[in-house]
Amino acid sequence: MYTLPKIERFNQDVLSKYHIYNSVFITLPFDSIDNTGVLLPLFTETCETGFKKQETPKEIFDFFSGKYLNNASEQEKIDLMFRFIQYIERQIVLFDAIEDAAFPEVNNMEGRGSLRDIKERSDAKEKDDELIEFLENFNVRTVLTAHPTQFYPGPVLGIINDLTEAIRLNDLFKIKQLLAQLGKTPFIQNEKPNPYDEAVSLIWYLENVFYATSGEIVHYLQKNILNGNAIQNQLIKLGFWPGGDRDGNPFVTTEITLKVADRLRTSILKCYYVEMRNLKRKLTFSGVDTLVSELEHKLYRSVFYSKGEIYITLDELLTQLNLIRNIIIEKHQSLYLDELEAFLVKINLFGFHFATLDIRQNSKIHNGVFKDVVNYYLNSGSDIFPKNYFELSEEEKLVVLSKVKGELNPADFEDEITRSTLESVQAIKTIQKANGEFGANRYIISNNESALNVMETFAMIRLNNWENPTVDVIPLFESVDDLQNAHHIMEQLYTNPEYSKHLQARGNKQTIMLGFSDGTKDGGYLMANWSIYQAKIALTEISRKYGVKAIFFDGRGGPPARGGGKTHKFYASLGPKIENNEIQITVQGQTISSNFGTLDSCRYNIENLLSAGVTNQVFSKEKNELSPEETAILTQLAGLGYDKYLSFKNHPKFIPYLEKMSTLKYYSKTNIGSRPSKRSKSEQLDFADLRAIPFVGSWSQLKQNVPGFFGVGSALKHFEETNQWDKVYDLYHNSLFFRTLLENSMMSLAKSFFPLTAYMRKDPEFGEFWQIIYDEFVETKRLLLKIADHKTLMENYPDGIASIQIRERIVMPLLTIQQYALLRINELNKENGANDELIKVYEKIVTRSLFGNTNASRNSA
C-alpha cells in the first residue's frame, strides 16, 4: 500500500478530525446561554464576507449583531464577545491536540532528517567512521527560556496532553468528556507567575518529554551506528533560563535561583527512581536484586525524604549500575541488558543537574555593579584597583581586570542590584557543589558591547574568591553594530594572557551568543540575519587564528522575525567557514509546546538538528559555501533592506502607531510571565527599552508581521529594476541559506492579513503610515513568488500552509473582536466625559484576545 502525500495525510488526520470534533464541541452547553456555539460559525462567515467587501471590523460586528442579536444592548454584545473569545480559545486547543496526535502520521518520522536517514546515507556514502567521529564531538543544546509567549496555564496543558492521547486512540467518550472539562477550565491566570512558577511549568517538559526522547535517540545511535559502544560525548544537552535569567527581571532572586536548581536535581532523581523501580521488576536475579533494591531505596530517600540532602552520589550510582551490568553479562546471559544500558545513557546525559541553569544579566547592570565594587575597594584603602581606575583607557582597564582577585561579601553592599548580582556568582558555586559543574556553569552577558563587559564579569567572578572559576563567560551580541564588531572584541579577549589561560582551562572553547530578536528590531529582517551569518564567519576565523574553538549559541525565538521558522535548514546551510561543532538554540513559549511538546515532535525536531549538523559536516562539507559574488549580492541586499527598514523605523509615526493602533501596551496586563514588558520603568515608550516579544507580537496581532518581511521586497526590487534579477534568482536556487531565509519570510507573509486593518488607510493620522507597510507587503509578496517560481505562498509546504489557513480562520472572529474593541476604545476616549468603566471592559477584551491569537499562531512572538 502506497503512502499518501503529506497534504492528503494532513487532510485525513487533522482537518477531517477537527471538523468532526469541533461539531461535538460547539454543541456542548457551557453556560446558561447555549447558543454561543451556534452563533460563532455565523459570525465567522460574516467576518469572511465582510472583509471581502472591505468592511471595517466595527461594520462587520454591527451588521452581525443587527442581523442575529435582536436589538441587543451594548452589554449583551460585550457578553457575547467574551463568550466567543472563550469558545475560540478552546477551539485552538482542540486543533493543537489534533495536530499533535497526528504528528507521526503527517510527518515522516523515518524520512529525511531522521536517525534512520542518517544511518542509511552514511552506509551509502561509506562514511561510517566520519559519522562516528562526528557523534563523539558534536552537541545539540536546546535551552528552554522564560520568555512569556506560552499562554496556557498548567491545568490546560494537562488537558491538551490527555486530549491528544484520546484523539490518537479515537476514544470519542473520553474526547467529549475532556472537551466538556476544557469548556469549564479557566484559561487566564489572575496573578502573574513568579520565576519559580515558570520553572516548574517548563520542568514538566523535561520530565515528560526530553528525558525519554533524548535517551532513546542516543541509545539508538549507540546500538545502530557505534556498534553497541557507549558514546562518551554528551551528545544532547539541555539548558534552562527560568530562575537564572536576571536580565530585566527584578523578580529573579538568589533564593529562587537556588530553589530552581534544587527542583531540577529533585526532578532528575525522580525520573531515575521511576526507571529504577521499573528495572527492579525485571532484574530479579541472584546477585543483582539486592544491588537494585539498594539503589532504588537511596534514590527514593533522595527524592522524597530529602531537604537538600542527597543519599547517593552520581559516581556511586554509575559504579553500582556498571557492576550490575557486568554481572548480567557474565552470569545472566545479558537478560534486560538493553534496558539497563538505556538507563545508563540517560544518566550520562543528565547527571544530577538535568539541565544547565544559565545565569544572565545585562551589561548595563554590570557597569553599575562594577562601579560599586571598585568604589568599595577604593574606599576601603585596598590596592586591588588603582586610585585612578575610572580615568584609565579601556586597554589599561583590561590589564587591571585580568589580575584582580579578592573575597567579596555581597552583604557589604547596600545597593540591592549589586548585592544580588554578586550573590548570583555565589549561587553558581553552591549549585555546582550539589548538582555538579553542569548544574550551572555559564554566565551570559546580554547587550555585550565591548571586551570590557566580558572582563568586568570575569573579574567579578574571580573577586568572589574563585581564582580558577569553572564558569564560561558568554558575551551576547545583539545590535547590528555589535555583531559587526564582535570579532574585534573577541580578539582583545583572546590576546589577554589571563583570559587566554582561563580558556585553556575550559578546553580552549569559547561560547558566543548571537541574538536574532534585538538584531531584527534594530536592523530589520535581512540585515539581522546576514549580520549574524557574517559575524559567525569573522568570529570563526579569529577564533581559529588563536587556537580557540568557537561555539555559537543562537538566541532564536518562535517566529522567523526572531530567528525561528525552519531552524534546522539554517544549520544545514552553514559552510566550512562557520564553526558548527555544537548547535545551541533557545526555545521558548509556544515554540516549546509546538516543537517539543510531545514525544513525537520532540524526537522529530532533535533528530532534525542532529541531521543538520551531520549534513553540514559529514555529507556536504563544501557545497554550502557562498562564493565571493554571492556574498557581495547578499551584502548588497542586506544594505538595501536595512536602509528601507531604517527609514521606516525613523518615521515620526512609528512609535505612535504601535502605541495607539496596536496591542503593545496590553502585553503587560496579560499575567503570563514574570518579566516586565520593557526594561525601563519610565512611562515614555523608548524603542531601545522595548522587548522583542511585545514588539514582534504586536505586529503579529495586527496581522502585519512587519519584522518578518519589511525591507525584503525593496531590496529585491532594486535587482529587478537594474536588470540584475538573474543574480538574486540564481542565488535563491543555489544557496540553501538564502532560500531558507526567504522561505521563512514567506511564512511571515502567509500569516499576515491586511483586510483586518485596511480601515486604517483612511485614518487622518496613520493612513499614510499604514500604506507604507501595505505597499512593502505587496511588493515583497510579488517578488518572493517570482523568485521561487510559485503561484501561492508556501506552496512547497502544502501541509504547513493548510495548517496556517485553518488556524487563521479559527482566530479571524477573535481578531475582528480585538479590532472592534480597539476602535470602541478610541471612540470612547474622544467623547466628552469618557466612560472609564466601559473603556476598561473593552481593554479587557483586547487583552483576552491576545491569548488565543498568540496560541493559534504557534510562532508569532
Side-chain angles (χ1 to χ4, degrees):
M1 183 177 170
Y2 75 96
T3 303
L4 292 171
K6 200 170 185 181
I7 184 60
E8 288 188 37
R9 300 200 300 273
F10 178 86
N11 289 336
Q12 180 177 291
D13 292 298
V14 178
L15 187 57
S16 298
K17 285 187 178 180
Y18 174 71
H19 289 316
I20 292 165
Y21 295 139
N22 187 46
S23 65
V24 173
F25 176 67
I26 60 174
T27 58
L28 293 171
F30 294 126
D31 46 48
S32 54
I33 305 167
D34 59 3
N35 64 345
T36 311
V38 177
L39 288 172
L40 183 54
L42 296 172
F43 183 50
T44 302
E45 201 175 302
T46 304
C47 291
E48 287 181 327
T49 307
F51 286 126
K52 282 175 185 169
K53 293 179 181 176
Q54 299 184 332
E55 292 173 354
T56 71
K58 191 168 185 309
E59 288 169 342
I60 289 168
F61 190 80
D62 287 344
F63 173 81
F64 172 80
S65 59
K67 185 173 181 180
Y68 296 107
L69 300 187
N70 194 20
N71 296 321
S73 65
E74 183 153 22
Q75 186 57 51
E76 287 172 327
K77 291 178 188 177
I78 287 169
D79 289 343
L80 183 64
M81 281 188 246
F82 275 116
R83 291 203 306 278
F84 277 168
I85 289 169
Q86 290 169 338
Y87 260 75
I88 294 163
E89 284 174 335
R90 287 154 177 80
Q91 283 181 312
I92 294 158
V93 167
L94 174 61
F95 190 77
D96 281 349
I98 291 169
E99 267 205 322
D100 286 344
F103 192 93
E105 278 71 43
V106 174
N107 297 280
N108 186 354
M109 300 293 286
E110 305 297 334
R112 189 86 172 169
S114 68
L115 296 185
R116 179 176 169 179
D117 175 57
I118 292 171
K119 166 75 174 144
E120 289 175 355
R121 287 167 75 194
S122 173
D123 290 345
K125 296 188 176 191
E126 297 183 345
K127 295 214 169 192
D128 288 1
D129 290 341
E130 280 184 69
L131 180 57
I132 290 169
E133 185 185 351
F134 166 83
L135 292 171
E136 286 289 7
N137 292 284
F138 184 76
N139 299 111
V140 167
R141 184 189 293 253
T142 51
V143 181
L144 308 190
T145 79
H147 298 336
T149 55
Q150 174 58 268
F151 286 83
Y152 295 138
V156 175
L157 286 171
I159 295 170
I160 295 173
N161 196 51
D162 294 344
L163 189 57
T164 301
E165 188 57 31
I167 290 166
R168 192 171 278 148
L169 298 170
N170 285 318
D171 186 340
L172 190 57
F173 175 77
K174 189 77 183 288
I175 291 166
K176 194 169 180 180
Q177 205 173 37
L178 287 163
L179 289 175
Q181 181 188 351
L182 192 65
K184 293 180 177 293
T185 302
F187 265 51
I188 56 169
Q189 300 174 131
N190 293 324
E191 294 181 0
K192 275 181 176 286
N194 64 43
Y196 183 71
D197 298 330
E198 292 172 329
V200 170
S201 294
L202 290 188
I203 287 171
W204 184 92
Y205 291 100
L206 298 182
E207 291 178 352
N208 293 282
V209 183
F210 282 94
Y211 177 76
T213 306
S214 303
E216 285 169 8
I217 287 172
V218 176
H219 192 215
Y220 174 92
L221 291 169
Q222 282 188 182
K223 286 172 65 178
N224 295 286
I225 294 175
L226 276 84
N227 307 314
N229 297 316
I231 295 179
Q232 302 305 312
N233 171 42
Q234 199 183 351
L235 187 64
I236 299 169
K237 299 177 181 179
L238 302 179
F240 206 74
W241 276 16
D245 182 8
R246 293 168 177 261
D247 180 15
N249 193 340
F251 306 109
V252 175
T253 63
T254 306
E255 181 188 5
I256 279 182
T257 301
L258 294 171
K259 199 174 167 187
V260 170
D262 282 348
R263 180 63 181 250
L264 284 165
R265 185 185 65 250
T266 304
S267 294
I268 190 59
L269 289 175
K270 185 170 75 175
C271 291
Y272 293 163
Y273 166 69
V274 170
E275 191 134 3
M276 202 72 231
R277 276 191 67 186
N278 292 333
L279 277 171
K280 188 181 177 184
R281 292 173 67 93
K282 297 174 180 176
L283 303 179
T284 52
F285 339 127
S286 173
V288 169
D289 53 350
T290 53
L291 293 173
V292 171
S293 292
E294 186 184 331
L295 284 181
E296 184 214 20
H297 180 63
K298 286 183 177 180
L299 286 168
Y300 180 83
R301 290 183 71 194
S302 298
V303 173
F304 298 107
Y305 281 91
S306 172
K307 289 184 179 176
E309 193 174 346
I310 308 165
Y311 294 90
I312 186 169
T313 65
L314 180 59
D315 283 345
E316 185 185 350
L317 178 62
L318 286 168
T319 301
Q320 286 278 74
L321 286 171
N322 278 308
L323 176 59
I324 292 167
R325 180 181 179 277
N326 291 336
I327 295 171
I328 289 172
I329 293 169
E330 290 168 12
K331 298 183 178 179
H332 301 290
Q333 292 77 49
S334 299
L335 191 57
Y336 295 124
L337 179 64
D338 201 45
E339 286 89 335
L340 180 61
E341 289 187 337
F343 186 30
L344 282 163
V345 163
K346 290 167 186 164
I347 297 169
N348 181 48
L349 289 177
F350 306 123
F352 275 15
H353 62 283
F354 211 163
T356 300
L357 185 62
D358 289 346
I359 306 297
R360 186 173 79 133
Q361 184 54 283
N362 197 294
S363 66
K364 288 181 168 56
I365 297 292
H366 278 174
N367 291 342
V369 168
F370 210 76
K371 193 174 179 183
D372 221 1
V373 169
V374 174
N375 281 325
Y376 167 80
Y377 278 114
L378 293 178
N379 293 335
S380 67
S382 165
D383 60 356
I384 287 179
F385 289 93
K387 290 184 172 58
N388 66 336
Y389 176 80
F390 293 113
E391 283 77 55
L392 298 177
S393 67
E394 182 180 345
E395 287 297 326
E396 290 169 330
K397 283 179 180 175
L398 291 175
V399 172
V400 173
L401 291 171
S402 66
K403 295 174 181 173
V404 297
K405 294 166 191 171
E407 195 168 348
L408 284 173
N409 181 356
D412 290 339
F413 292 86
E414 291 180 16
D415 184 83
E416 188 183 337
I417 291 178
T418 300
R419 194 167 58 246
S420 64
T421 304
L422 295 173
E423 282 175 353
S424 66
V425 178
Q426 300 288 350
I428 294 173
K429 292 169 102 172
T430 304
I431 293 165
Q432 287 194 4
K433 282 176 188 169
N435 295 14
E437 186 196 312
F438 293 123
N441 65 351
R442 292 153 48 106
Y443 198 116
I444 300 161
I445 311 155
S446 51
N447 195 37
N448 196 98
E449 296 175 327
S450 66
L452 200 59
N453 291 152
V454 175
M455 288 305 291
E456 282 179 348
T457 307
F458 181 58
M460 184 181 72
I461 293 170
R462 300 216 301 178
L463 285 167
N464 269 271
N465 192 26
W466 207 354
E467 189 173 337
N468 299 306
T470 47
V471 181
D472 298 318
V473 183
I474 303 174
L476 165 52
F477 300 105
E478 299 180 81
S479 72
V480 171
D481 287 345
D482 292 338
L483 286 164
Q484 290 173 349
N485 195 39
H487 61 292
H488 296 304
I489 291 170
M490 296 315 299
E491 184 168 29
Q492 282 180 282
L493 294 168
Y494 295 153
T495 53
N496 181 289
E498 277 299 314
Y499 192 79
S500 176
K501 186 177 160 189
H502 168 68
L503 286 181
Q504 286 172 24
R506 303 296 294 158
N508 266 335
K509 292 180 179 179
Q510 173 66 57
T511 303
I512 303 165
M513 189 171 179
L514 305 163
F516 280 78
S517 306
D518 285 288
T520 306
K521 183 165 78 80
D522 180 48
Y525 182 73
L526 284 175
M527 181 57 86
N529 280 279
W530 184 234
S531 294
I532 287 170
Y533 189 89
Q534 290 285 77
K536 283 185 175 182
I537 290 175
L539 286 163
T540 299
E541 185 181 357
I542 204 71
S543 299
R544 287 174 179 171
K545 177 182 174 182
Y546 291 99
V548 176
K549 180 81 76 173
I551 297 166
F552 296 116
F553 178 19
D554 290 321
R556 289 178 171 273
R562 301 185 58 226
K566 301 201 173 292
T567 307
H568 64 278
K569 280 196 166 187
F570 268 114
Y571 289 111
S573 73
L574 302 177
K577 288 185 177 178
I578 293 178
E579 207 72 77
N580 196 28
N581 259 44
E582 293 196 22
I583 291 177
Q584 299 192 11
I585 53 168
T586 55
V587 193
Q588 66 197 43
Q590 77 275 45
T591 313
I592 296 173
S593 54
S594 60
N595 288 0
F596 301 93
T598 66
L599 293 168
D600 291 320
S601 63
C602 184
R603 179 191 143 196
Y604 181 84
N605 283 294
I606 291 178
E607 287 188 12
N608 266 277
L609 288 172
L610 282 169
S611 175
V614 174
T615 299
N616 190 40
Q617 290 195 45
V618 180
F619 297 143
S620 55
K621 288 181 180 177
E622 304 301 325
K623 201 162 44 176
N624 292 316
E625 188 173 355
L626 293 168
S627 69
E629 294 78 14
E630 290 172 331
T631 299
I633 294 165
L634 272 161
T635 301
Q636 191 178 357
L637 281 165
L640 291 163
Y642 182 58
D643 290 343
K644 179 69 176 179
Y645 178 77
L646 217 56
S647 67
F648 174 65
K649 191 176 78 170
N650 293 332
H651 193 288
K653 294 300 177 189
F654 187 90
I655 294 293
Y657 182 80
L658 282 173
E659 281 188 302
K660 295 179 185 178
M661 306 301 278
S662 84
T663 57
L664 182 66
K665 64 184 178 185
Y666 296 94
Y667 270 82
S668 60
K669 300 175 183 180
T670 54
N671 285 344
I672 55 153
S674 64
R675 288 205 313 178
S677 59
K678 57 193 180 79
R679 286 185 170 90
S680 74
K681 293 179 181 176
S682 72
E683 289 298 313
Q684 188 73 27
L685 180 60
D686 180 1
F687 185 79
D689 286 329
L690 184 59
R691 289 196 176 282
I693 287 169
F695 174 72
V696 173
S698 296
W699 290 112
S700 172
Q701 295 284 326
L702 285 167
K703 287 295 159 189
Q704 294 175 355
N705 288 327
V706 160
F709 74 81
F710 201 91
V712 175
S714 293
L716 291 172
K717 191 177 182 181
H718 170 81
F719 281 80
E720 183 185 53
E721 290 179 338
T722 53
N723 296 318
Q724 301 180 79
W725 182 252
D726 58 317
K727 290 183 179 178
V728 287
Y729 181 86
D730 291 344
L731 181 63
Y732 177 86
H733 291 276
N734 294 330
S735 165
L736 181 60
F737 169 77
F738 187 53
R739 189 161 64 253
T740 305
L741 193 66
L742 295 194
E743 281 182 352
N744 280 341
S745 192
M746 286 185 209
M747 188 191 295
S748 291
L749 296 178
K751 292 185 177 184
S752 299
F753 183 65
F754 277 83
L756 178 73
T757 56
Y759 70 90
M760 292 182 189
R761 61 158 44 110
K762 296 176 184 174
D763 188 275
E765 185 179 357
F766 295 108
E768 179 201 340
F769 189 77
W770 184 92
Q771 195 65 44
I772 290 170
I773 301 168
Y774 181 65
D775 289 346
E776 184 66 13
F777 167 82
V778 170
E779 275 301 87
T780 304
K781 182 178 177 181
R782 177 180 73 82
L783 291 166
L784 286 182
L785 291 176
K786 181 179 178 180
I787 204 169
D789 294 323
H790 288 174
K791 290 185 172 60
T792 57
L793 292 168
M794 293 179 65
E795 70 177 47
N796 53 332
Y797 298 104
D799 60 310
I801 192 65
S803 176
I804 288 170
Q805 286 168 348
I806 296 165
R807 289 173 178 278
E808 295 301 318
R809 188 172 191 272
I810 292 170
V811 295
M812 187 185 289
L814 202 55
L815 293 162
T816 309
I817 289 168
Q818 185 185 84
Q819 286 296 318
Y820 178 89
L822 287 167
L823 285 162
R824 283 293 287 134
I825 290 165
N826 287 338
E827 282 180 355
L828 290 165
N829 278 323
K830 288 173 185 173
E831 290 177 3
N832 290 326
N835 186 336
D836 290 338
E837 287 306 309
L838 193 54
I839 289 170
K840 282 180 184 173
V841 171
Y842 279 112
E843 285 181 336
K844 190 177 177 184
I845 287 175
V846 174
T847 305
R848 280 298 309 278
S849 61
L850 287 171
F851 297 11
N853 289 335
T854 303
N855 287 331
S857 296
R858 284 207 153 182
N859 67 349
S860 65

